[in-house]
Amino acid sequence: MESKSRILATGTMRTGGSLLSNVMCAHSKIFVFGERFHFFRFCYNRYNPLTEKSVNRLLEHQRLRLLCRFKIDFDVDVVFMSIKKRGLTYPIIFDEGMKFFLTHCNRSIWGEYTAMQWRDIPAFVQMFPNSRAIHLYRDPRSVLSSWKRLSFAPSSQYLNPIFNWIDSMNCVKRYSDELSNEKYLPLSYESIMKDPRQVVEGLCKFVNVDFEEEMLLPETWHARLPQNMLINPRSAHEGQNIRGFSTSRTQNWKKNLEEWEIALVEHLCHDLMEEFGYDFYKDKYSISDIKKG
């Protein structure tokens, strides 16, 4: 079975990846493997030189990780034989690994969502002629607020997402100039929440499939695929299994961040926030808040 478009979706932590994965998996032709296969993190350029032995080792490592972490079966022999027929290259390894899961889901288009991999977008776009890259971004105050509630990072290390966000947004700017809009789509979390129909219809056009109404019916999402194949959405502010669309989630940071944290984000991200249309909480902050930040 030949797949059609290949999709890579990525963004910083707490950007809405589980929401996007669930929406797209609700389509009858699309399967987006969220935070499972992790090709760029665990496979790409880590098994050089590619030989039958090293490819087998790569696939076996994937099998063990998928089984132990997610209780997902991955048939190394089947995938390896498919790779051998086509050639020992990273794009073919990625493609055949993902196509293995398509056969179990009865879908024809594969995608992978992995956080923090936006710097691999150019490599992905070069791998496949029919590639599609979706670059998620979100208000940096929301990203920080969510990560602050979920992170176990000691001391002030929970502030690191501010710098991840800056790098991600600088890449959005660069890729928007360098990559074709047929292959690269920057997408804000806020736009999904504000007008899900318009955004989802646009996603379908981008991937070159017909829109399906089920994509906007969150109560049906998890009945369409095996449970361990999807990311269970988790809102840092509202709890587990929070599905669907709500503009209130774009404002939760106001209840969770201290004023010095907001001041710090707006100082460091000021120009990019302004460029991407994020309003500032205050025009001025106290000297004590600025010093603390």
Side-chain angles (χ1 to χ4, degrees):
M1 177 182 63
E2 282 299 317
S3 59
K4 298 179 182 178
S5 296
R6 280 79 161 171
I7 304 164
L8 176 69
T10 186
T12 69
M13 64 283 278
R14 313 308 302 164
T15 312
S18 58
L19 172 66
L20 179 67
S21 299
N22 279 265
V23 167
M24 298 192 77
C25 281
H27 194 284
S28 62
K29 293 183 178 179
I30 301 172
F31 171 63
V32 174
F33 213 11
E35 302 285 2
R36 299 289 189 267
F37 201 71
H38 275 303
F39 174 79
F40 283 104
R41 183 177 299 178
F42 294 117
C43 303
Y44 186 53
N45 283 337
R46 292 180 178 271
Y47 291 82
N48 296 329
L50 290 178
T51 63
E52 290 190 12
K53 183 177 180 180
S54 65
V55 171
N56 253 312
R57 187 167 70 250
L58 180 159
L59 296 174
E60 181 62 20
H61 290 169
Q62 286 292 82
R63 183 191 72 80
L64 288 170
R65 196 171 54 80
L66 288 166
L67 180 64
C68 294
R69 291 200 65 186
F70 307 111
K71 309 301 181 188
I72 295 173
D73 291 324
F74 183 64
D75 194 322
V76 169
D77 293 334
V78 168
V79 176
F80 180 69
M81 291 306 298
S82 298
I83 292 169
K84 274 188 65 176
K85 290 177 184 177
R86 296 178 60 193
L88 304 181
T89 70
Y90 282 109
I92 289 172
I93 292 168
F94 196 4
D95 197 35
E96 291 299 332
M98 295 300 296
K99 284 165 65 177
F100 172 80
F101 297 105
L102 286 183
T103 62
H104 290 71
C105 301
N106 196 28
R107 307 291 173 93
S108 58
I109 297 170
W110 68 253
E112 179 174 38
Y113 175 80
T114 51
M116 308 297 289
Q117 302 299 137
W118 57 84
R119 283 179 172 261
D120 293 306
I121 285 175
F124 178 80
V125 168
Q126 287 187 354
M127 281 183 176
F128 304 110
N130 53 357
S131 57
R132 300 289 186 270
I134 302 168
H135 194 157
L136 280 171
Y137 63 92
R138 185 179 185 180
D139 186 325
R141 295 160 299 193
S142 290
V143 172
L144 178 61
S145 177
S146 182
W147 188 247
K148 177 185 176 182
R149 290 180 67 89
L150 295 178
S151 173
F152 295 100
S155 186
S156 60
Q157 289 183 31
Y158 76 94
L159 297 169
N160 283 348
I162 300 172
F163 302 99
N164 297 144
W165 188 88
I166 291 169
D167 187 67
S168 178
M169 299 311 292
N170 281 328
C171 286
V172 168
K173 292 174 61 178
R174 185 164 77 248
Y175 298 160
S176 295
D177 290 336
E178 295 176 354
L179 302 177
S180 163
N181 58 14
E182 293 181 357
K183 289 179 171 286
Y184 177 71
L185 177 67
L187 179 62
S188 76
Y189 176 87
E190 291 79 19
S191 68
I192 301 173
M193 292 305 193
K194 182 179 179 181
D195 194 344
R197 179 173 293 275
Q198 181 180 17
V199 170
V200 173
E201 287 179 354
L203 280 170
C204 290
K205 185 177 180 181
F206 179 65
V207 180
N208 197 27
V209 295
D210 293 331
F211 167 74
E212 294 180 359
E213 195 69 32
E214 288 80 2
M215 300 175 80
L216 298 177
L217 301 176
E219 64 273 14
T220 70
W221 289 349
H222 269 227
R224 299 173 70 80
L225 281 175
Q227 294 296 304
N228 61 349
M229 304 291 269
L230 282 175
I231 302 175
N232 281 315
R234 180 184 181 187
S235 168
H237 301 91
E238 298 172 25
Q240 297 278 12
N241 299 322
I242 304 299
R243 302 188 181 98
F245 313 98
S246 170
T247 54
S248 66
R249 281 181 237 153
T250 66
Q251 303 298 316
N252 281 330
W253 60 268
K254 295 178 181 178
K255 299 178 290 185
N256 188 48
L257 292 182
E258 296 180 43
E259 199 149 300
W260 72 266
E261 294 168 319
I262 300 172
L264 178 63
V265 174
E266 294 188 359
H267 171 70
L268 293 173
C269 303
H270 183 278
D271 291 351
L272 286 166
M273 288 180 65
E274 192 170 55
E275 186 170 349
F276 283 88
Y278 290 109
D279 295 329
F280 299 107
Y281 186 63
K282 278 189 171 184
D283 294 329
K284 294 182 180 180
Y285 290 91
S286 70
I287 292 175
S288 62
D289 282 333
I290 292 170
K291 284 183 176 180
K292 187 172 182 180

